[in-house]
Amino acid sequence: MVKVLHLKLVRELYRSKGLLLLISSIIAVGVTCFVAMQSAYHNLNEAKKRYYCQCRMADFWIDLKKAPLSELRGLHEIPGITELHTRIQFQATVDLEDFVEPVNGMVLSLPDRRQQVINGVVIRQGDYFTDRRRNEVIISEKFARTHNLYPGSSVHLLLNNRRQELFVVGTAIGSEFTYLVGPGSLVPDAVHFGVFYVKRSFAEEVFDFEGAANQIVGRLAPDARDRVDEVLRSAEARLDSYGVFATTPLRRQLSNQFLSSEIDGLGAIATVIPAIFLAVAALVLNILINRMARRQRVVVGTLKALGYTDQPIFLHFLCYGLSVGVLGGVLGSGLGYLSSTGMTYVYQFYFEFPDLRSGFYWYTHAVGVSVSLLCAILGSVHGSRAMLRMRPAEAMRPEPPRRGGVTGLERLLGSAWKQLSAIWRMALRSLFRHQFRTATGVFAAMMGSGLLVTGFMMTEAQNFLLDFQFHREARSDIDLVFKDEQGPEALAEVRRLPGVDHAEPLLTVACTFVNGPYRRKSGVTGLQSDARLTVPRNEAGEPILVPQAGLVMTRRLAKILHVTAGSKVTLIPVKGERRPVDVVVARVADSYMGLAAYSNIEYLSQLVGESLAVSGAQLLTNRRPDNLSRLYRELKQLPGVQSIQSRRDMIESLTETLLMNQYVLIGVLVIFSGVIFFASIVNASLVNLAERQREVATFRALGYSQWQIGGMFLRESLLTNLVGSLLGLPVGYGLTCLTSMLYDTDIIRLPVVAANWVWLTTMSTAVVFALLAHGVVQWSILRMDYLEALKVNE
Amino acid sequence: MRAPSEAPNATLLKMENVGRTFRMGEVAVEVLKGVSMEIVAGEVLAVVGPSGSGKSTILNIIGGLDSPSMGQVWYRGRDLTRASSGELTRYRRDEIGFVFQFYNLVPNLTARENVLVSTEISTNPLDVDHVLEMVGLTDRVDHFPAQLSGGEQQRVAIARAVAKNPTLLLCDEPTGALDFVTGKRVLRVLVDLNQQLDKTVVLITHNSALAQVADRVIHLRSGAIAEITEIEEPIAPEEVVW
């Protein structure tokens, strides 16, 4: 391209800097999303790979009641298994002197001497076990820090009905607890849950597990990883007599599921959201470049008259778009890197890695900038080429007026059209005659509104989930788990505790469900007939009465087993006589967490061949703080209690975390959609205004005020915005459904909930953005030189 | 007397039975009807006619900006009507200099830069500063069009056209947007270019008074040539009165 045209380009870019910046901002947001999420994806993925390698993450877990080590070693014979490690694992209550609320811990054994094991730990403070004491403990880092525990301090745990003092030698993290959540919770809570690694010899002694183990972790050969389920079935068959509670492949391991879902979610969102922004940017840029090219018809004709070929002229106009693409791409790339650093920092609060760091992935940035340029080219090529098709003489003639005549809308409205004022008729005709511009505005508003709806519906989904799971389905204040099954007298004792207003028994039986070729290990929870602390519910939230016989099965479990209400399923309990029993699925309940099944407690007891047994209790408490403190103290002293979970504390912590996430999510989505609304409306309105300067000046000469003139343009932009926003409501609903599918796992499902406030808030926000954007247009009208526009100058 | 760069009286361009019809929706407008004429090297040729007579259309066809609907156009023996888009571009670049009624300057370029726009693609351009000096704009070379008067803008446009060193200078109503005094000043520049640089000048105007500076005048009426007159003694631009 020749040099003087470069100068022209630079000056005109500077003159149009406002509009070009606006469009660049749409591109920048899209590229920022892409780079931020892809970079965060790579950060997490790389950290995960390193961590899993460092700790030698297991490929499977097998939980069982108790098995001798000699039997467990035999599992090596199963093809595919390359390595095994046996562990002793129990839940325990942590007795902290200066902390009244119940705190739970998972106690896990590690070899007495440091060696390479599967699911090893990374020591963060202090050191591994020594030979000095039998009762040394290594505590999970965040828990230790929260409770001011450090090497040299001591902590008391209730292990096997005995209060044991443990001496802290170190703090650590482990890859199998990258996302460390306590039972029944969704978010990490270092206040109420931690992991305690003890010496194997100590665990054997304290839990009466000499020469035995109740958990096996193993690794598979690379070619066996695809058939892990088959391997686990073989292992389960061998260990059947030892009461296998659960077999868990890596993909279903709790921490790995949360981490992998997050990583996969990032990858998916990194494609969808940027695509929306870049599509809008390309369309909006197309309008601008078309307008620019039309305004420079005479210049184009003159350049052609001077002897310029098509190529430099085409490239000249293409460069307008490319400059927007470059600016948007570079801005987005930089902001994306900063955002990914921020996201990675925030992830550290949820996922514990030894070295989660923010990296610069040049290929991600290159793709982001390239896509940005491609979007800019797509947006500019049409306007640029249109100029080349004209003959020079035609280009230098004034642009012929657009086609006139009656629009389709006028015919449609018929006599109703005549009722409209001239101003409204002008606005509607303008919209219908500039079809591409109107369609672009509608599309942009649709996308902006869709994003808002998605954000609001996600918030509503989280609130609904919280309410459904934690206030309607499970309604207790405290959940107790007993170490062993107790009789009804244990419940009576619990009911007598200070501060307990109401207590209900629970019997949890781990089992395997079988329906033909479909199997799943899960559990059945037995409830009393008139239970009101665990209440299965249907989709509408109505309570489902647990029948005297049969199961109430949650929908996801029923889907996995391919059963419906009325079907029979075979239940093979892990405890008791372990006889397969056919049971009827009486009802299917809805639930958004886990794979639960419920039955009457007496019925369940009979199924497993026992008299009435109780494995836990749910309590409603008196909420007075001093009563609670007494109750917690008493519970910690109660023999036979393995864990105490304060659901109220857990729900408070969860609510706080979710609320914070919601504010961030909504804030980000409102900003994103604001960029789309604002940029597209301002661009279209200013282009419209530039084309109609003489018309606007004429209205001024006729006596219209600047605000009345502004009102003419406001009608057009509001109409476009409202139509697009309305269309965006179902788009947002669809996007939410897609997002819900991403978070559809055995652990958690996000419901799709449509509430009236979502639609109202979206439309209100769209109107606010339209008014804000119109402010820019009104300001241009106020500043316009009307004499110049009318060319009345001497 | 003029000393033409071409051989004296050599035919530079010839139009034979050229017609041009424009379609506007369902309506066809025949702007030129069977026009035949020649342009002689080194002359100042005026094409005069009322508004709508087809003057600008003839100029556009001569300059390769437009193609006739019928007839043929030869430039130095080359048939322009059969030329491709690329050949016409090269023709405009190397042979033609345009001066438009409304100047058609690029608003974001200074006077000097507007002239550079044409010299940067020319194979044998004249010196930009010299040309600007010729049109009397040495002091205004760094001003933008918005900072120049109409006459100054037109002189920039003339400088842009001449700096390419074309054979043929085509001027479409060069004084149409100017006042009396400025218009005569612009005419002087054109006549000087013809006399000093041997440029063949074709001048389109509706103002028959201006045609007195030309060597020949073609009178157009309703798309056809009504008359061709030769002027033995063209008058100086300063003596023109309208």
Short mmCIF file of all heavy atoms in Angstrom, two decimals, chain A residues 2-5 7-8 11-12 15 298-299 301-310 391-393 396-397, chain B residues 20 22 60 65-67 89 92-93 98 100 104-110 113 116-118 120-121 144 160 164:
data_model
loop_
_atom_site.label_atom_id
_atom_site.label_comp_id
_atom_site.label_asym_id
_atom_site.label_seq_id
_atom_site.Cartn_x
_atom_site.Cartn_y
_atom_site.Cartn_z
N VAL A 2 0.47 2.28 -0.71
CA VAL A 2 1.31 3.47 -0.80
C VAL A 2 1.27 4.25 0.51
O VAL A 2 0.33 4.21 1.25
CB VAL A 2 0.88 4.34 -1.98
CG1 VAL A 2 1.17 3.65 -3.27
CG2 VAL A 2 -0.60 4.65 -1.89
N LYS A 3 2.29 5.07 0.71
CA LYS A 3 2.49 5.68 2.02
C LYS A 3 1.43 6.70 2.40
O LYS A 3 1.06 6.79 3.56
CB LYS A 3 3.87 6.31 2.07
CG LYS A 3 5.02 5.29 2.15
CD LYS A 3 6.35 5.96 1.95
CE LYS A 3 6.72 5.92 0.49
NZ LYS A 3 8.06 6.44 0.22
N VAL A 4 1.00 7.51 1.47
CA VAL A 4 0.04 8.56 1.83
C VAL A 4 -1.28 7.95 2.26
O VAL A 4 -1.96 8.47 3.14
CB VAL A 4 -0.15 9.54 0.66
CG1 VAL A 4 -1.22 10.54 0.98
CG2 VAL A 4 1.15 10.23 0.37
N LEU A 5 -1.63 6.83 1.69
CA LEU A 5 -2.85 6.16 2.12
C LEU A 5 -2.70 5.66 3.56
O LEU A 5 -3.67 5.60 4.31
CB LEU A 5 -3.21 5.00 1.19
CG LEU A 5 -3.80 5.39 -0.16
CD1 LEU A 5 -4.31 4.16 -0.89
CD2 LEU A 5 -4.93 6.38 -0.03
N LEU A 7 -1.14 7.31 5.84
CA LEU A 7 -1.42 8.51 6.65
C LEU A 7 -2.92 8.73 6.77
O LEU A 7 -3.44 9.06 7.83
CB LEU A 7 -0.82 9.74 5.96
CG LEU A 7 0.61 10.12 6.34
CD1 LEU A 7 1.04 11.30 5.48
CD2 LEU A 7 0.72 10.46 7.80
N LYS A 8 -3.57 8.60 5.64
CA LYS A 8 -5.03 8.78 5.63
C LYS A 8 -5.68 7.80 6.59
O LYS A 8 -6.56 8.16 7.37
CB LYS A 8 -5.53 8.56 4.20
CG LYS A 8 -7.04 8.59 4.04
CD LYS A 8 -7.40 8.39 2.56
CE LYS A 8 -8.90 8.33 2.33
NZ LYS A 8 -9.56 7.20 2.90
N ARG A 11 -5.07 8.76 10.28
CA ARG A 11 -5.85 9.93 10.72
C ARG A 11 -7.32 9.59 10.87
O ARG A 11 -7.97 10.06 11.79
CB ARG A 11 -5.66 11.08 9.75
CG ARG A 11 -4.28 11.71 9.89
CD ARG A 11 -4.09 12.82 8.95
NE ARG A 11 -2.68 13.21 8.92
CZ ARG A 11 -2.07 13.68 7.84
NH1 ARG A 11 -2.75 13.83 6.73
NH2 ARG A 11 -0.80 14.00 7.89
N GLU A 12 -7.81 8.80 9.94
CA GLU A 12 -9.23 8.47 10.03
C GLU A 12 -9.50 7.51 11.18
O GLU A 12 -10.55 7.57 11.81
CB GLU A 12 -9.72 7.87 8.70
CG GLU A 12 -10.06 8.99 7.75
CD GLU A 12 -10.17 8.54 6.32
OE1 GLU A 12 -10.07 7.32 6.09
OE2 GLU A 12 -10.35 9.39 5.45
N ARG A 15 -9.75 9.73 14.08
CA ARG A 15 -11.00 10.50 14.08
C ARG A 15 -12.17 9.64 14.53
O ARG A 15 -13.09 10.10 15.18
CB ARG A 15 -11.28 11.05 12.69
CG ARG A 15 -12.05 12.35 12.69
CD ARG A 15 -12.12 12.93 11.33
NE ARG A 15 -12.89 12.06 10.45
CZ ARG A 15 -13.52 12.47 9.37
NH1 ARG A 15 -13.47 13.73 9.03
NH2 ARG A 15 -14.18 11.64 8.61
N VAL A 298 -16.74 9.12 -2.92
CA VAL A 298 -16.08 10.07 -3.82
C VAL A 298 -14.56 9.89 -3.77
O VAL A 298 -13.88 9.94 -4.80
CB VAL A 298 -16.49 11.51 -3.46
CG1 VAL A 298 -15.67 12.51 -4.23
CG2 VAL A 298 -17.98 11.71 -3.71
N VAL A 299 -14.06 9.65 -2.56
CA VAL A 299 -12.61 9.43 -2.42
C VAL A 299 -12.22 8.18 -3.20
O VAL A 299 -11.20 8.16 -3.89
CB VAL A 299 -12.23 9.30 -0.94
CG1 VAL A 299 -10.79 8.85 -0.78
CG2 VAL A 299 -12.45 10.61 -0.22
N GLY A 301 -13.78 6.87 -5.74
CA GLY A 301 -13.86 7.16 -7.16
C GLY A 301 -12.66 7.97 -7.62
O GLY A 301 -12.10 7.73 -8.70
N THR A 302 -12.27 8.93 -6.80
CA THR A 302 -11.12 9.78 -7.15
C THR A 302 -9.85 8.95 -7.22
O THR A 302 -9.03 9.11 -8.14
CB THR A 302 -10.96 10.91 -6.13
OG1 THR A 302 -12.19 11.61 -6.02
CG2 THR A 302 -9.85 11.86 -6.53
N LEU A 303 -9.66 8.07 -6.23
CA LEU A 303 -8.46 7.22 -6.24
C LEU A 303 -8.44 6.36 -7.49
O LEU A 303 -7.40 6.18 -8.14
CB LEU A 303 -8.42 6.34 -4.99
CG LEU A 303 -8.11 7.08 -3.67
CD1 LEU A 303 -8.28 6.14 -2.49
CD2 LEU A 303 -6.71 7.67 -3.68
N LYS A 304 -9.59 5.84 -7.85
CA LYS A 304 -9.65 5.02 -9.07
C LYS A 304 -9.38 5.90 -10.29
O LYS A 304 -8.70 5.49 -11.23
CB LYS A 304 -11.03 4.38 -9.21
CG LYS A 304 -11.26 3.25 -8.23
CD LYS A 304 -12.52 2.48 -8.63
CE LYS A 304 -12.76 1.34 -7.69
NZ LYS A 304 -13.80 0.44 -8.17
N ALA A 305 -9.92 7.13 -10.23
CA ALA A 305 -9.67 8.05 -11.36
C ALA A 305 -8.18 8.37 -11.47
O ALA A 305 -7.64 8.55 -12.56
CB ALA A 305 -10.47 9.33 -11.17
N LEU A 306 -7.51 8.45 -10.35
CA LEU A 306 -6.08 8.73 -10.36
C LEU A 306 -5.28 7.54 -10.87
O LEU A 306 -4.10 7.67 -11.20
CB LEU A 306 -5.60 9.07 -8.94
CG LEU A 306 -6.03 10.44 -8.42
CD1 LEU A 306 -5.67 10.57 -6.95
CD2 LEU A 306 -5.38 11.56 -9.22
N GLY A 307 -5.90 6.36 -10.88
CA GLY A 307 -5.19 5.20 -11.40
C GLY A 307 -4.85 4.15 -10.36
O GLY A 307 -4.07 3.24 -10.61
N TYR A 308 -5.46 4.26 -9.19
CA TYR A 308 -5.21 3.22 -8.20
C TYR A 308 -5.94 1.95 -8.61
O TYR A 308 -7.09 1.99 -9.03
CB TYR A 308 -5.71 3.68 -6.83
CG TYR A 308 -4.73 4.57 -6.11
CD1 TYR A 308 -4.59 5.90 -6.45
CD2 TYR A 308 -3.91 4.05 -5.11
CE1 TYR A 308 -3.68 6.70 -5.80
CE2 TYR A 308 -3.00 4.84 -4.45
CZ TYR A 308 -2.88 6.17 -4.82
OH TYR A 308 -1.97 6.97 -4.17
N THR A 309 -5.25 0.83 -8.43
CA THR A 309 -5.91 -0.46 -8.69
C THR A 309 -6.82 -0.81 -7.51
O THR A 309 -6.77 -0.15 -6.47
CB THR A 309 -4.88 -1.58 -8.88
OG1 THR A 309 -4.08 -1.66 -7.69
CG2 THR A 309 -3.99 -1.31 -10.08
N ASP A 310 -7.58 -1.87 -7.69
CA ASP A 310 -8.51 -2.28 -6.63
C ASP A 310 -7.78 -2.72 -5.36
O ASP A 310 -8.27 -2.50 -4.25
CB ASP A 310 -9.37 -3.46 -7.12
CG ASP A 310 -10.41 -3.00 -8.12
OD1 ASP A 310 -10.59 -1.78 -8.29
OD2 ASP A 310 -11.05 -3.87 -8.75
N ARG A 391 -18.16 1.39 -10.58
CA ARG A 391 -17.29 2.06 -11.54
C ARG A 391 -16.87 3.41 -10.95
O ARG A 391 -17.62 3.99 -10.17
CB ARG A 391 -18.04 2.32 -12.83
CG ARG A 391 -18.32 1.06 -13.58
CD ARG A 391 -19.14 1.40 -14.80
NE ARG A 391 -19.58 0.19 -15.44
CZ ARG A 391 -19.64 0.04 -16.74
NH1 ARG A 391 -19.29 1.01 -17.54
NH2 ARG A 391 -20.06 -1.09 -17.27
N PRO A 392 -15.73 3.93 -11.34
CA PRO A 392 -15.27 5.20 -10.77
C PRO A 392 -16.31 6.32 -10.94
O PRO A 392 -16.54 7.09 -10.02
CB PRO A 392 -13.99 5.51 -11.57
CG PRO A 392 -13.51 4.18 -12.03
CD PRO A 392 -14.72 3.34 -12.24
N ALA A 393 -16.91 6.42 -12.13
CA ALA A 393 -17.86 7.51 -12.36
C ALA A 393 -19.06 7.37 -11.43
O ALA A 393 -19.56 8.34 -10.87
CB ALA A 393 -18.31 7.50 -13.81
N MET A 396 -18.33 8.41 -7.91
CA MET A 396 -18.23 9.84 -7.65
C MET A 396 -19.56 10.55 -7.74
O MET A 396 -19.66 11.72 -7.38
CB MET A 396 -17.22 10.48 -8.62
CG MET A 396 -15.81 10.16 -8.18
SD MET A 396 -14.61 11.06 -9.11
CE MET A 396 -14.73 10.24 -10.69
N ARG A 397 -20.59 9.84 -8.20
CA ARG A 397 -21.91 10.45 -8.16
C ARG A 397 -22.44 10.31 -6.74
O ARG A 397 -22.11 9.35 -6.04
CB ARG A 397 -22.85 9.75 -9.14
CG ARG A 397 -22.70 10.22 -10.56
CD ARG A 397 -23.90 9.76 -11.38
NE ARG A 397 -23.87 8.33 -11.60
CZ ARG A 397 -23.21 7.74 -12.61
NH1 ARG A 397 -22.53 8.46 -13.47
NH2 ARG A 397 -23.25 6.42 -12.75
N ARG B 20 -24.37 6.53 -24.72
CA ARG B 20 -24.36 6.02 -23.32
C ARG B 20 -25.77 6.11 -22.76
O ARG B 20 -26.38 7.18 -22.77
CB ARG B 20 -23.41 6.85 -22.47
CG ARG B 20 -23.28 6.39 -21.02
CD ARG B 20 -22.57 5.05 -20.93
NE ARG B 20 -22.27 4.69 -19.55
CZ ARG B 20 -23.01 3.85 -18.81
NH1 ARG B 20 -24.12 3.32 -19.31
NH2 ARG B 20 -22.65 3.56 -17.58
N PHE B 22 -28.16 5.17 -19.37
CA PHE B 22 -28.16 4.80 -17.94
C PHE B 22 -29.51 4.19 -17.60
O PHE B 22 -30.54 4.69 -18.01
CB PHE B 22 -27.94 6.04 -17.06
CG PHE B 22 -26.56 6.60 -17.13
CD1 PHE B 22 -26.29 7.74 -17.86
CD2 PHE B 22 -25.52 5.97 -16.47
CE1 PHE B 22 -25.01 8.25 -17.93
CE2 PHE B 22 -24.24 6.49 -16.52
CZ PHE B 22 -23.98 7.62 -17.26
N ASN B 60 -16.15 11.44 -18.66
CA ASN B 60 -15.92 10.18 -17.96
C ASN B 60 -15.49 9.08 -18.92
O ASN B 60 -14.66 8.24 -18.61
CB ASN B 60 -17.17 9.75 -17.20
CG ASN B 60 -17.45 10.64 -15.99
OD1 ASN B 60 -16.55 11.31 -15.50
ND2 ASN B 60 -18.68 10.67 -15.54
N LEU B 65 -13.31 6.42 -16.98
CA LEU B 65 -14.06 6.19 -15.76
C LEU B 65 -15.37 5.46 -16.03
O LEU B 65 -15.98 4.90 -15.13
CB LEU B 65 -14.40 7.54 -15.09
CG LEU B 65 -13.23 8.36 -14.55
CD1 LEU B 65 -13.76 9.65 -13.96
CD2 LEU B 65 -12.46 7.60 -13.51
N ASP B 66 -15.79 5.52 -17.26
CA ASP B 66 -17.06 4.93 -17.64
C ASP B 66 -16.88 4.34 -19.04
O ASP B 66 -15.95 4.71 -19.77
CB ASP B 66 -18.14 6.02 -17.64
CG ASP B 66 -19.54 5.44 -17.50
OD1 ASP B 66 -19.67 4.20 -17.43
OD2 ASP B 66 -20.50 6.24 -17.45
N SER B 67 -17.76 3.43 -19.40
CA SER B 67 -17.66 2.81 -20.73
C SER B 67 -18.90 3.14 -21.53
O SER B 67 -20.00 3.21 -20.96
CB SER B 67 -17.55 1.29 -20.59
OG SER B 67 -16.39 0.97 -19.86
N THR B 89 -7.30 1.15 -15.81
CA THR B 89 -6.63 1.72 -14.63
C THR B 89 -5.27 2.27 -15.01
O THR B 89 -4.89 3.39 -14.61
CB THR B 89 -6.48 0.66 -13.54
OG1 THR B 89 -7.78 0.15 -13.19
CG2 THR B 89 -5.80 1.22 -12.30
N ARG B 92 -5.66 5.48 -16.96
CA ARG B 92 -5.94 6.64 -16.10
C ARG B 92 -4.69 7.07 -15.35
O ARG B 92 -4.44 8.24 -15.13
CB ARG B 92 -7.05 6.32 -15.09
CG ARG B 92 -8.42 6.20 -15.69
CD ARG B 92 -9.48 6.26 -14.59
NE ARG B 92 -9.35 5.18 -13.61
CZ ARG B 92 -9.90 3.98 -13.76
NH1 ARG B 92 -10.59 3.69 -14.85
NH2 ARG B 92 -9.77 3.06 -12.83
N ARG B 93 -3.91 6.08 -14.92
CA ARG B 93 -2.73 6.38 -14.12
C ARG B 93 -1.68 7.10 -14.95
O ARG B 93 -1.07 8.07 -14.49
CB ARG B 93 -2.14 5.09 -13.57
CG ARG B 93 -0.95 5.29 -12.62
CD ARG B 93 -0.27 4.00 -12.28
NE ARG B 93 -1.23 3.02 -11.78
CZ ARG B 93 -0.92 1.76 -11.53
NH1 ARG B 93 0.30 1.31 -11.74
NH2 ARG B 93 -1.83 0.93 -11.09
N PHE B 98 -7.30 14.24 -13.86
CA PHE B 98 -8.68 14.71 -13.66
C PHE B 98 -8.72 15.91 -12.75
O PHE B 98 -8.04 15.94 -11.73
CB PHE B 98 -9.53 13.61 -13.01
CG PHE B 98 -10.27 12.75 -13.98
CD1 PHE B 98 -9.83 11.48 -14.28
CD2 PHE B 98 -11.40 13.24 -14.62
CE1 PHE B 98 -10.51 10.70 -15.18
CE2 PHE B 98 -12.08 12.46 -15.52
CZ PHE B 98 -11.64 11.18 -15.81
N PHE B 100 -11.93 17.86 -10.86
CA PHE B 100 -13.38 17.74 -10.65
C PHE B 100 -13.98 19.06 -10.20
O PHE B 100 -13.30 19.90 -9.60
CB PHE B 100 -13.69 16.67 -9.61
CG PHE B 100 -13.16 15.30 -9.96
CD1 PHE B 100 -11.96 14.84 -9.42
CD2 PHE B 100 -13.84 14.48 -10.84
CE1 PHE B 100 -11.47 13.60 -9.76
CE2 PHE B 100 -13.35 13.24 -11.17
CZ PHE B 100 -12.16 12.79 -10.65
N ASN B 104 -12.84 17.05 -4.99
CA ASN B 104 -12.64 15.66 -4.58
C ASN B 104 -11.31 15.44 -3.88
O ASN B 104 -10.61 14.45 -4.11
CB ASN B 104 -12.74 14.71 -5.79
CG ASN B 104 -14.16 14.63 -6.30
OD1 ASN B 104 -15.02 15.42 -5.93
ND2 ASN B 104 -14.41 13.68 -7.18
N LEU B 105 -10.92 16.37 -3.03
CA LEU B 105 -9.69 16.17 -2.26
C LEU B 105 -9.98 15.22 -1.10
O LEU B 105 -11.12 15.09 -0.64
CB LEU B 105 -9.19 17.51 -1.70
CG LEU B 105 -8.81 18.56 -2.73
CD1 LEU B 105 -8.32 19.82 -2.03
CD2 LEU B 105 -7.72 18.02 -3.67
N VAL B 106 -8.93 14.55 -0.63
CA VAL B 106 -9.09 13.67 0.52
C VAL B 106 -9.03 14.53 1.78
O VAL B 106 -8.00 15.20 2.01
CB VAL B 106 -7.98 12.59 0.56
CG1 VAL B 106 -8.15 11.69 1.76
CG2 VAL B 106 -7.97 11.79 -0.73
N PRO B 107 -10.10 14.54 2.57
CA PRO B 107 -10.17 15.51 3.67
C PRO B 107 -9.05 15.34 4.70
O PRO B 107 -8.65 16.30 5.35
CB PRO B 107 -11.53 15.23 4.32
CG PRO B 107 -12.28 14.38 3.37
CD PRO B 107 -11.30 13.70 2.50
N ASN B 108 -8.57 14.14 4.87
CA ASN B 108 -7.59 13.89 5.94
C ASN B 108 -6.15 14.00 5.47
O ASN B 108 -5.25 13.57 6.17
CB ASN B 108 -7.81 12.49 6.51
CG ASN B 108 -8.81 12.53 7.65
OD1 ASN B 108 -9.09 13.60 8.17
ND2 ASN B 108 -9.33 11.39 8.03
N LEU B 109 -5.95 14.54 4.29
CA LEU B 109 -4.59 14.73 3.80
C LEU B 109 -4.36 16.21 3.55
O LEU B 109 -5.28 16.92 3.13
CB LEU B 109 -4.35 13.94 2.50
CG LEU B 109 -4.47 12.41 2.61
CD1 LEU B 109 -4.30 11.77 1.24
CD2 LEU B 109 -3.43 11.85 3.57
N THR B 110 -3.14 16.65 3.79
CA THR B 110 -2.80 18.05 3.52
C THR B 110 -2.74 18.26 2.01
O THR B 110 -2.83 17.31 1.23
CB THR B 110 -1.45 18.43 4.13
OG1 THR B 110 -0.44 17.59 3.49
CG2 THR B 110 -1.42 18.19 5.64
N GLU B 113 0.10 16.34 0.58
CA GLU B 113 -0.17 14.90 0.60
C GLU B 113 -1.21 14.51 -0.44
O GLU B 113 -1.15 13.43 -1.01
CB GLU B 113 -0.64 14.48 1.99
CG GLU B 113 0.48 14.49 3.02
CD GLU B 113 -0.03 14.57 4.45
OE1 GLU B 113 -1.27 14.65 4.65
OE2 GLU B 113 0.81 14.60 5.36
N LEU B 116 0.76 14.11 -3.42
CA LEU B 116 1.59 12.91 -3.32
C LEU B 116 0.79 11.64 -3.62
O LEU B 116 1.33 10.66 -4.13
CB LEU B 116 2.16 12.79 -1.90
CG LEU B 116 3.45 13.56 -1.61
CD1 LEU B 116 3.77 13.49 -0.12
CD2 LEU B 116 4.61 13.00 -2.41
N VAL B 117 -0.49 11.67 -3.28
CA VAL B 117 -1.35 10.50 -3.54
C VAL B 117 -1.27 10.10 -5.01
O VAL B 117 -1.30 8.92 -5.34
CB VAL B 117 -2.81 10.83 -3.14
CG1 VAL B 117 -3.81 10.01 -3.94
CG2 VAL B 117 -3.03 10.57 -1.66
N SER B 118 -1.16 11.09 -5.89
CA SER B 118 -1.11 10.73 -7.31
C SER B 118 0.32 10.44 -7.77
O SER B 118 0.54 9.56 -8.59
CB SER B 118 -1.72 11.84 -8.16
OG SER B 118 -0.93 13.00 -8.12
N GLU B 120 2.74 9.09 -6.11
CA GLU B 120 3.30 7.84 -5.59
C GLU B 120 2.98 6.65 -6.47
O GLU B 120 3.62 5.61 -6.38
CB GLU B 120 2.78 7.59 -4.16
CG GLU B 120 3.56 8.37 -3.11
CD GLU B 120 3.06 8.13 -1.70
OE1 GLU B 120 2.07 7.38 -1.54
OE2 GLU B 120 3.65 8.69 -0.77
N ILE B 121 1.99 6.76 -7.32
CA ILE B 121 1.70 5.63 -8.21
C ILE B 121 2.11 5.93 -9.64
O ILE B 121 1.87 5.13 -10.55
CB ILE B 121 0.20 5.24 -8.18
CG1 ILE B 121 -0.68 6.46 -8.53
CG2 ILE B 121 -0.19 4.68 -6.83
CD1 ILE B 121 -2.09 6.09 -8.87
N PHE B 144 -4.91 21.49 5.52
CA PHE B 144 -5.91 20.50 5.13
C PHE B 144 -6.99 21.20 4.29
O PHE B 144 -7.16 22.42 4.39
CB PHE B 144 -6.54 19.85 6.36
CG PHE B 144 -5.63 18.89 7.07
CD1 PHE B 144 -4.80 19.34 8.09
CD2 PHE B 144 -5.57 17.55 6.70
CE1 PHE B 144 -3.94 18.46 8.74
CE2 PHE B 144 -4.72 16.69 7.35
CZ PHE B 144 -3.90 17.13 8.37
N ARG B 160 -2.63 18.09 -8.26
CA ARG B 160 -2.68 16.63 -8.16
C ARG B 160 -2.79 16.00 -9.53
O ARG B 160 -2.18 14.98 -9.83
CB ARG B 160 -3.86 16.23 -7.28
CG ARG B 160 -3.99 14.74 -7.06
CD ARG B 160 -5.19 14.41 -6.20
NE ARG B 160 -6.44 14.80 -6.83
CZ ARG B 160 -7.61 14.74 -6.23
NH1 ARG B 160 -7.69 14.34 -4.98
NH2 ARG B 160 -8.72 15.10 -6.86
N LYS B 164 1.09 14.08 -11.94
CA LYS B 164 1.26 12.74 -12.52
C LYS B 164 1.93 12.79 -13.88
O LYS B 164 2.29 11.76 -14.44
CB LYS B 164 -0.12 12.09 -12.72
CG LYS B 164 -0.76 11.66 -11.46
CD LYS B 164 -2.09 10.95 -11.59
CE LYS B 164 -2.64 10.78 -12.94
NZ LYS B 164 -3.65 9.74 -13.03
#
